[in-house]
Amino acid sequence: MLFKIRTLFDSMAVTPLYLYLFLFLGPSNFSNSPFAHGFPSSSSDTTMHTNNWAVLVCTSRFWFNYRHMANTLSLYRTVKRLGIPDERIILMLADDMACNARNKYPAQVFNNENHKLNLYGDNVEVDYRGYEVTVENFLRVLTGRHETAVPRSKRLLSDEGSHILLYMTGHGGDEFLKFQDSEELQSHDLADAVKQMKEKRRFKELLIMVDTCQAATLFSQLQSPGVLAIGSSMKGENSYSHHLDSDVGVSVVDRFTFYTLAFFERLNMYDNASLSSLFNSYNPSTLMSTAYYRTDLYQRRLEEVPVTNFFGSVMETIHTDAAYRAPSRKTSGRADIKTSPDKMVTDDQIKTTTNSNVLDQSSDQKQADQACPFARLMSSFKNKVQTVEEADSLVNYGLVTMIPLLLLSTLL
Amino acid sequence: MAETEAPRPRQRPIVRLGIFLISHSFSFSVVCCTAGVLALLLLPILAKNTYISENALMPGSANPMLSNQDVLEANRFVKDLIALNSKPRGSGIESQRLIAQYMKDLGAEVNYHKFHPQITQFHPLQFFSSPDSGTVERNISCSFHGVNTVGITRAPRGDGKEAIVLVTPYNSQKIKQAEALSLGTAYSVFSLLSRVTWLAKDIIWLVSDSQHGEYAAVSAWLRDYHIPMFTRLHTVNAETCPDINYLYDVRDNSVTGRKIYDGFKRAGTMAAALVIKVVDRSETFDDNLNIYAEASNGQMPNLDLINIVNYLAVHRQGFRVKVEKLWSLLDSKWLKNLGELFESVGQVVSSINPQWKFGIPAADYTEGIATLASSLYNQALGVPTGPHGAFRDYQVDAITLELSPRASVDKIIRQNDFLLRGGRLIEGVILSVNNLLEKFHQSFFLYLLTSPGKFVSVGVYMIAFALLVAPLPMVAASLYADAINLNSSQNNEKTVADEPGTALRSLKWVNAAKKVFVVHLWGSVVSLLPYFICQIPNRSPTVSFIIWFLLSVLSFFIMFLILASPFSHAKESQLHLREWAILKSVTMSATFIGLCLMSVINFSTAELGGLLLVPMCLMAQPMRRDIRVGSLSTLSRLAYNLVFCLIGFPPVTFVLLKGAFEGFNSINVGDFWCWVESLWAWSSATYLYIEGILYLFGAERGSTITRNSRSEEAYLAICQLVLLILCVDSFRKVVHPHMVRTVRMLNHCIVLARSL
């Protein structure tokens, strides 16, 4: 059905009349749909990477599990720093250590005994807190089967092109992870949820990272393609905490997470460190457990996948022949949709983002725009002139004619 | 199918095993009893290392924050307290006022708690009612009271539902240096805790006035804490007692200008309590820490509490931790030899297979046995070893920490160091308990300590007990079976057995049980006699004891007349022997049931009782027959019985024990009375137990006079009811705080039953 619509667009694109009709009618139809920004395509292999989501879960309660909350908050900070915005992070914290009466530093959470970095600063948005963190809610978030009253901010609104990072930490065992000291998520539940997500086209690629005892066992039932899994320990191994903060009186971070964070602290969002370099950075002797990777469900070569594909929000760049950054936003959006399935070019060097949502986040890009708007305008104009003979020439022609009209209207 | 020859259905293996054991009951009982005693002696070797079971505790995870500044403050406080001694005494509460002032300066909520020590009076019905009923004595003279000072620091961000209690007993009339130091230690911790941000539980510092006994003050405060009194008693007292009045209107001119609250301040439920004591014993090697844990009726605090104290004291503050020992056992030759024997056995075992860890050094073994014996003795006695016992009655885990400094604490540097380390230990324990999310529940409640770091859990020590009592049902069954067989064979000889005869035969035991019951009843009646003796004014312990003794002998004769006279004394020989066997088997079953019930409630009492009762039960024989037969074996058995009963006779036991530990010089019959009286005061289960053995002996003596062998066995029966009463009592003790209502209902039932 969706496929049909797409071909219909293609056919429509040739006639400027239909295009104009669509441009003014289309958005009103599609903006109500939650899938508006991720336009469906024939298969996930050819779907481009549209956006990044992160689901960060701390599953254990109680003061002496302080480190699990610190783990999760550290990861939260890292992915935010690398460019995933708050509205695309589902943060689940099973307890509130910051406000625990036993906390020597009220309203602060640290992941290091040097207390340099307060993880619980001003800008932390916890989506599920306390007793809301249950296996049921977790599975609902993954599969998107929410009750109608659940606000959008608590939903995982990913699409077919989303890369999702799922990070979980807590106490676990052979093929289970404890939630709230009262219930368990089993490997079957996780595999089933991932399968449902795949069927509902809720992700393109999924990275599951788990820091718990015997974490590897949690992945044993996974079947869905596009899933990559990292666990902190093999079956029969424990995951240990990294160090004890003798001021707060609890362990503040787990080893696996600590070394993961150490890896990411060296990076910024433009670094091209690959997933394999992350995986190789784990040293069993410092970890006191063997990190486990499950890659058989994942198609791409790990050396070629930058970590920012999951931990940041840096998309693959797409070279388009036509300028999409026309003064009309609507037009550019539609043009993007139209061209994307056909012309996917991988080029890491050119930092041109196709997605308007990501464009908002990418501050660097914005700065570039502000610096030389005129030059950009000129270059796009030149492009248009060069490609006027091509198949889309009629469309572009129409777009170009709109520019003076708009300029005129803004001047007036 | 019916035609096929039906072979006798093969009995199930367990039944066959049972029959085998019953038929070899003599060898079985010998083996079992020996194994039981041996297992008891093996316990120190089977002891495991303690470990902290509760994750939340995390002892020693945070650095102690107690600083020298706190210690200096504490020193000032100690000096001020001692300076009070030299001042002329005014209204008698200067020390309380001083303490309250110091507490107030720390920003704590302070109130005084005035109490009258509970009059210890034996009341038989007390065993069936809650300890609080009828204890409020309203017309006590004003002079006879104590004043506790209570300071509460609220957790700044806590929910106020839980509290940790620090208790420092001191004598308000004359403050000794050691007591002042214990107050100083608590003060340094309290002043630190009034500043910290990490408290999740309120801290209560109870400075208990121990001029009428340490236990009384604490238990009075706990009673008022848990049972709200809605009449404002103290105002009534204030009208009649001028000095109390003075107590409540002091401090109008205090620095803060606030009046000290004159009501009763409370915090939440108590998570744990620490009683801090300092004794000036001048240890030679190191600063010492003695842990006392036994509460009433053998109840122990959760092992985790002892574990964290032990861990912090040893690994953080460098104290030498000890638990109580029976010192006299340390020097005993046979224990040393036994230890060496076990050690060599262990060496042999480890040479066979290095994996097997068996055996400990002989010195450790002797120490382990001494500690174990002390633990058993204290638990069996049921008298708490310190003020912490009062907390256990309200299901609060509590221990007493007795700190003793290395050298004399006269030197100020030495004293500062001692205060700092003591304070940091207490701080660490409080921090750890503060981390607790639930009540102590992870670790053991049923255990015996063999050293501060080793324990024997319930699963291990019950084996020794089970082995010890296992012969009782076996021998009872074999006796019963023999008696029945004898009976039927006689019947066969006479005539063809008539049908109703078999039915009657199976009811033989009812007659015996009736007798046992009557003797039990008599035992309980006599054990209640002291209540009436207590009513006699101006009695000395010796007189009381003699009265008691005479009364019990008298009642024994009455009982004997009732029990023995109506029955025939014509048929001796066979029939008599049979009746005696059934009586003995019923008595043994009752003993067995009683001991087993008791072991669930108070293991130590049951174990020690078992050690006394089991050999007595097994060996008891009608004496007259023994004398008549006159062979060597019977005579030796007779002698054994007599000696054992003599040892079992409580006053004799008491005298022997006392003589063994303190020398035979200062022994007086009245001492026994005093001892018994002290046991009532704690409503100890052992009291009843001792009564039981007393009458056991009484009955034994009776049997030597009379010619009826029924009463010979009867003495064994006496202890049964006593054991049952004791079970009821201990049960009440154990479950009391939760089950007062149920027990009251039970009371009503008993009263109803009596009226019927």
Side-chain angles (χ1 to χ4, degrees):
Chain A
M1 168 66 182
L2 294 168
F3 183 69
K4 276 180 191 166
I5 293 169
R6 197 187 64 83
T7 48
L8 188 64
F9 293 155
D10 285 348
S11 63
M12 279 195 301
V14 285
T15 42
L17 179 66
Y18 283 140
L19 176 71
Y20 277 111
L21 264 174
F22 170 73
L23 284 177
F24 294 109
L25 297 174
S28 60
N29 292 336
F30 281 84
S31 60
N32 292 336
S33 160
F35 299 108
H37 54 272
F39 215 73
S41 152
S42 53
S43 90
S44 61
D45 294 338
T46 53
T47 314
M48 58 168 289
H49 174 197
T50 51
N51 52 22
N52 269 89
W53 285 81
V55 181
L56 311 174
V57 194
C58 154
T59 64
S60 43
R61 291 189 77 68
F62 307 138
W63 172 241
F64 59 93
N65 291 322
Y66 183 98
R67 63 183 187 281
H68 294 147
M69 185 177 167
N71 286 346
T72 315
L73 282 173
S74 316
L75 245 292
Y76 172 79
R77 177 184 163 277
T78 302
V79 296
K80 241 172 112 174
R81 188 174 64 84
L82 293 178
I84 305 184
D86 242 341
E87 66 256 30
R88 295 218 191 124
I89 301 174
I90 309 290
L91 181 58
M92 304 174 101
L93 297 177
D95 204 346
D96 189 1
M97 301 310 168
C99 298
N100 195 306
R102 295 166 184 87
N103 194 348
K104 197 177 169 188
Y105 300 94
Q108 296 179 74
V109 176
F110 299 103
N111 69 353
N112 200 310
E113 61 183 341
N114 61 20
H115 296 176
K116 276 183 186 156
L117 179 65
N118 174 22
L119 298 168
Y120 210 70
D122 304 328
N123 203 8
V124 175
E125 191 184 302
V126 186
D127 298 295
Y128 290 84
R129 65 171 71 242
Y131 286 114
E132 282 180 345
V133 182
T134 56
V135 172
E136 184 191 335
N137 276 342
F138 173 72
L139 294 177
R140 280 184 187 282
V141 165
L142 288 190
T143 54
R145 297 166 181 243
H146 288 283
E147 296 196 3
T148 44
V150 175
R152 284 173 63 87
S153 66
K154 294 175 105 172
R155 294 175 186 234
L156 180 69
L157 299 170
S158 58
D159 57 58
E160 202 180 1
S162 301
H163 282 190
I164 301 179
L165 166 70
L166 170 59
Y167 173 85
M168 291 189 279
T169 180
H171 289 286
D174 193 359
E175 305 217 0
F176 72 87
L177 177 67
K178 264 205 307 186
F179 268 64
Q180 298 275 1
D181 215 29
S182 64
E183 45 180 1
E184 300 172 345
L185 173 81
Q186 297 201 347
S187 56
H188 296 271
D189 304 331
L190 183 67
D192 182 56
V194 170
K195 203 170 180 179
Q196 284 188 50
M197 288 169 81
K198 192 72 200 169
E199 278 167 9
K200 295 172 87 177
R201 299 183 178 177
R202 286 170 64 75
F203 69 87
K204 179 166 179 284
E205 289 176 7
L206 171 65
L207 172 61
I208 306 178
M209 184 181 244
V210 181
D211 188 350
T212 179
C213 297
Q214 313 196 40
T217 57
L218 207 58
F219 310 135
S220 57
Q221 308 295 331
L222 290 173
Q223 296 167 347
S224 314
V227 178
L228 190 59
I230 315 179
S232 61
S233 50
M234 305 288 283
K235 183 173 179 173
E237 283 183 343
N238 286 337
S239 291
Y240 294 98
S241 63
H242 185 261
H243 66 270
L244 181 104
D245 183 343
S246 52
D247 213 12
V248 183
V250 284
S251 302
V252 286
V253 69
D254 278 316
R255 283 179 176 269
F256 177 76
T257 306
F258 181 85
Y259 290 107
T260 307
L261 294 173
F263 176 84
F264 280 111
E265 280 307 301
R266 297 195 308 269
L267 302 183
N268 64 26
M269 69 168 89
Y270 304 116
D271 273 308
N272 279 320
S274 66
L275 278 178
S276 63
S277 69
L278 169 67
F279 290 3
N280 292 332
S281 72
Y282 297 122
N283 180 358
S285 63
T286 53
L287 226 55
M288 290 167 79
S289 61
T290 323
Y292 168 84
Y293 328 107
R294 183 163 174 196
T295 53
D296 57 334
L297 299 170
Y298 195 66
Q299 292 90 355
R300 290 200 282 162
R301 291 185 62 223
L302 293 181
E303 290 79 17
E304 292 166 3
V305 185
V307 285
T308 45
N309 258 2
F310 289 102
F311 291 88
S313 193
V314 180
M315 305 296 132
E316 295 170 48
T317 52
I318 294 167
H319 176 77
T320 51
D321 298 326
Y324 55 87
R325 192 175 167 82
S328 161
R329 269 179 73 91
K330 286 173 190 170
T331 328
S332 77
R334 293 282 75 79
D336 170 25
I337 289 157
K338 192 164 60 60
T339 53
S340 60
D342 309 318
K343 307 190 173 179
M344 233 165 56
V345 182
T346 307
D347 188 357
D348 285 342
Q349 305 307 315
I350 305 167
K351 299 283 177 192
T352 318
T353 47
T354 56
N355 191 297
S356 59
N357 286 331
V358 179
L359 200 64
D360 294 340
Q361 312 305 324
S362 174
S363 55
D364 192 73
Q365 188 68 52
K366 263 193 259 177
Q367 282 165 0
D369 286 348
Q370 283 155 6
C372 48
F374 182 70
R376 185 157 280 276
L377 195 70
M378 281 308 288
S379 70
S380 65
F381 192 76
K382 210 158 70 183
N383 278 341
K384 283 177 187 69
V385 173
Q386 281 166 355
T387 58
V388 79
E389 306 291 279
E390 289 176 14
D392 304 330
S393 58
L394 275 174
V395 182
N396 293 328
Y397 218 76
L399 298 179
V400 172
T401 51
M402 285 183 78
I403 296 166
L405 278 173
L406 277 169
L407 284 172
L408 195 67
S409 62
T410 47
L411 279 172
L412 290 172
Chain B
M1 296 303 275
E3 280 82 8
T4 56
E5 80 269 39
R8 238 178 111 211
R10 226 175 129 71
Q11 278 162 325
R12 287 162 62 199
I14 185 124
V15 177
R16 275 187 288 149
L17 181 71
I19 288 169
F20 174 79
L21 287 180
I22 288 168
S23 55
H24 296 84
S25 63
F26 177 74
S27 46
F28 176 71
S29 49
V30 170
V31 169
C32 270
C33 279
T34 323
V37 175
L38 195 69
L40 189 66
L41 290 173
L42 273 174
L43 285 184
I45 294 170
L46 300 174
K48 286 187 289 186
N49 286 330
T50 54
Y51 56 93
I52 288 156
S53 178
E54 170 69 87
N55 281 332
L57 286 170
M58 299 185 290
S61 61
N63 288 334
M65 293 165 69
L66 194 81
S67 62
N68 281 316
Q69 189 58 40
D70 297 306
V71 170
L72 289 179
E73 287 288 307
N75 255 333
R76 194 164 60 84
F77 175 61
V78 169
K79 252 181 227 148
D80 285 2
L81 267 180
I82 292 175
L84 277 182
N85 278 336
S86 54
K87 282 184 192 163
R89 305 213 67 84
S91 56
I93 60 153
E94 281 87 1
S95 58
Q96 281 93 339
R97 280 170 52 197
L98 181 77
I99 294 162
Q101 186 55 45
Y102 267 88
M103 283 176 177
K104 273 179 74 68
D105 291 346
L106 293 175
E109 299 174 17
V110 185
N111 74 299
Y112 296 119
H113 169 246
K114 189 180 70 64
F115 66 94
H116 296 294
Q118 208 174 330
I119 301 301
T120 55
Q121 192 170 32
F122 175 64
H123 197 281
L125 285 183
Q126 208 184 333
F127 289 114
F128 297 101
S129 64
S130 78
D132 318 300
S133 57
T135 52
V136 181
E137 305 283 338
R138 278 162 200 279
N139 48 356
I140 297 173
S141 68
C142 291
S143 58
F144 197 62
H145 70 265
V147 178
N148 294 331
T149 320
V150 185
I152 301 177
T153 291
R154 302 285 175 190
R157 288 175 296 132
D159 53 9
K161 285 177 185 161
E162 284 181 300
I164 303 169
V165 188
L166 283 177
V167 183
T168 45
Y170 84 115
N171 187 352
S172 63
Q173 298 305 309
K174 178 95 179 86
I175 303 164
K176 279 182 254 159
Q177 167 80 11
E179 280 175 345
L181 266 183
S182 74
L183 281 169
T185 313
Y187 175 79
S188 64
V189 177
F190 196 68
S191 73
L192 171 77
L193 294 177
S194 64
R195 299 196 310 267
V196 296
T197 52
W198 46 258
L199 277 185
K201 298 173 170 45
D202 297 344
I203 304 292
I204 306 175
W205 180 19
L206 168 67
V207 184
S208 69
D209 184 355
S210 66
Q211 58 176 318
H212 304 299
E214 289 172 356
Y215 187 93
V218 177
S219 77
W221 179 74
L222 276 172
R223 201 167 49 240
D224 287 353
Y225 190 95
H226 287 100
I227 299 155
M229 201 76 78
F230 295 108
T231 56
R232 291 174 70 82
L233 254 188
H234 63 85
T235 50
V236 179
N237 279 322
E239 285 158 19
T240 50
C241 306
D243 59 332
I244 297 302
N245 215 353
Y246 178 65
L247 178 71
Y248 288 110
D249 59 29
V250 290
R251 290 300 140 207
D252 274 329
N253 54 349
S254 64
V255 187
T256 50
R258 277 180 300 164
K259 234 179 118 168
I260 286 174
Y261 181 67
D262 61 347
F264 194 93
K265 287 257 183 198
R266 287 185 176 80
T269 51
M270 298 167 192
L274 300 172
V275 182
I276 303 156
K277 281 204 254 183
V278 175
V279 287
D280 206 352
R281 212 182 275 146
S282 295
E283 300 291 336
T284 43
F285 302 112
D286 230 335
D287 287 351
N288 257 359
L289 171 66
N290 270 317
I291 298 178
Y292 295 94
E294 285 89 0
S296 57
N297 268 327
Q299 298 180 76
M300 298 290 276
N302 196 291
L303 187 56
D304 265 344
L305 184 61
I306 295 174
N307 287 348
I308 52 173
V309 171
N310 183 37
Y311 176 85
L312 289 170
V314 172
H315 297 287
R316 289 291 184 275
Q317 304 305 329
F319 281 96
R320 263 169 70 94
V321 180
K322 289 182 189 166
V323 284
E324 215 180 341
K325 282 175 207 156
L326 281 183
W327 293 102
S328 53
L329 279 180
L330 278 181
D331 306 326
S332 65
K333 272 269 160 37
W334 66 275
L335 263 183
K336 260 178 204 155
N337 292 336
L338 197 66
E340 277 156 15
L341 176 73
F342 282 136
E343 193 182 354
S344 52
V345 169
Q347 276 160 1
V348 170
V349 165
S350 61
S351 67
I352 294 167
N353 186 346
Q355 296 289 311
W356 296 341
K357 296 264 188 297
F358 181 83
I360 49 173
D364 284 6
Y365 177 80
T366 328
E367 291 225 336
I369 280 280
T371 318
L372 190 74
S374 149
S375 196
L376 267 177
Y377 173 74
N378 279 323
Q379 285 189 19
L381 206 58
V383 177
T385 47
H388 58 268
F391 286 94
R392 194 61 231 171
D393 292 346
Y394 297 91
Q395 307 302 303
V396 179
D397 295 289
I399 51 172
T400 297
L401 309 178
E402 195 185 76
L403 302 160
S404 46
R406 178 173 51 203
S408 173
V409 285
D410 293 338
K411 281 182 211 141
I412 195 75
I413 299 165
R414 186 74 202 94
Q415 181 178 327
N416 280 353
D417 179 50
F418 178 74
L419 278 177
L420 188 69
R421 283 164 65 200
R424 284 185 168 177
L425 171 68
I426 312 285
E427 184 205 340
V429 176
I430 284 177
L431 177 68
S432 197
V433 175
N434 184 55
N435 283 339
L436 209 60
L437 301 153
E438 298 154 289
K439 271 173 75 77
F440 278 106
H441 68 282
Q442 281 278 355
S443 197
F444 293 89
F445 283 100
L446 302 170
Y447 57 89
L448 297 166
L449 287 175
T450 60
S451 81
K454 286 200 159 197
F455 76 107
V456 186
S457 80
V458 58
V460 177
Y461 66 58
M462 281 306 267
I463 295 171
F465 177 74
L467 283 171
L468 192 66
V469 296
L472 289 181
M474 291 302 161
V475 173
S478 105
L479 274 175
Y480 186 71
D482 286 353
I484 294 292
N485 287 342
L486 202 64
N487 204 3
S488 56
S489 65
Q490 275 184 352
N491 278 357
N492 285 344
E493 281 169 19
K494 278 182 203 165
T495 52
V496 180
D498 46 341
E499 288 310 305
T502 50
L504 276 176
R505 206 166 63 225
S506 61
L507 287 175
K508 268 262 183 289
W509 64 274
V510 176
N511 202 21
K514 196 178 73 189
K515 277 173 211 159
V516 172
F517 178 69
V518 170
V519 181
H520 275 167
L521 209 61
W522 167 76
S524 64
V525 164
V526 179
S527 67
L528 295 184
L529 278 178
Y531 170 59
F532 301 103
I533 299 171
C534 281
Q535 309 294 320
I536 304 165
N538 302 330
R539 69 214 140 72
S540 75
T542 317
V543 170
S544 316
F545 180 71
I546 290 166
I547 293 173
W548 190 23
F549 188 82
L550 291 176
L551 273 176
S552 40
V553 171
L554 185 72
S555 64
F556 174 77
F557 279 116
I558 294 167
M559 195 255 334
F560 174 71
L561 286 176
I562 294 166
L563 196 67
S565 58
F567 290 99
S568 63
H569 38 82
K571 286 180 280 179
E572 286 264 323
S573 66
Q574 283 292 332
L575 186 62
H576 168 81
L577 192 66
R578 195 169 62 238
E579 269 188 23
W580 170 81
I582 290 175
L583 187 62
K584 179 166 169 175
S585 87
V586 168
T587 312
M588 283 177 132
S589 333
T591 315
F592 175 71
I593 294 167
L595 282 175
C596 284
L597 282 176
M598 192 64 218
S599 72
V600 178
I601 294 154
N602 187 346
F603 167 77
S604 306
T605 309
E607 175 71 45
L608 292 186
L611 282 174
L612 275 177
L613 282 180
V614 169
M616 231 187 262
C617 281
L618 292 177
M619 299 297 285
Q621 289 285 331
M623 282 184 192
R624 268 167 59 82
R625 225 153 53 81
D626 279 357
I627 296 167
R628 206 186 304 137
V629 175
S631 73
L632 186 66
S633 68
T634 51
L635 281 181
S636 64
R637 186 166 65 191
L638 178 71
Y640 163 84
N641 272 345
L642 281 176
V643 167
F644 221 101
C645 291
L646 194 69
I647 292 171
F649 184 45
V652 178
T653 322
F654 176 72
V655 166
L656 280 177
L657 279 177
K658 207 175 170 194
F661 293 132
E662 295 167 27
F664 285 93
N665 305 329
S666 59
I667 284 177
N668 180 10
V669 192
D671 284 351
F672 181 68
W673 177 265
C674 295
W675 191 51
V676 170
E677 208 164 38
S678 79
L679 288 179
W680 301 332
W682 307 106
S683 53
S684 161
T686 317
Y687 159 63
L688 288 174
Y689 191 77
I690 282 161
E691 306 276 301
I693 300 175
L694 179 69
Y695 295 107
L696 185 150
F697 181 72
E700 170 69 21
R701 238 173 344 158
S703 70
T704 58
I705 305 163
T706 59
R707 39 139 290 277
N708 195 326
S709 62
R710 264 178 224 142
S711 53
E712 268 186 336
E713 266 311 305
Y715 76 87
L716 282 175
I718 298 157
C719 52
Q720 307 323 312
L721 185 69
V722 168
L723 270 171
L724 284 176
I725 291 173
L726 185 146
C727 293
V728 170
D729 170 53
S730 303
F731 183 70
R732 181 186 61 72
K733 277 268 174 190
V734 171
V735 298
H736 162 248
H738 307 300
M739 289 190 60
V740 170
R741 200 172 293 169
T742 324
V743 173
R744 277 189 188 142
M745 265 169 64
L746 221 139
N747 272 353
H748 289 305
C749 293
I750 290 165
V751 169
L752 258 174
R754 276 182 192 154
S755 66
L756 290 172

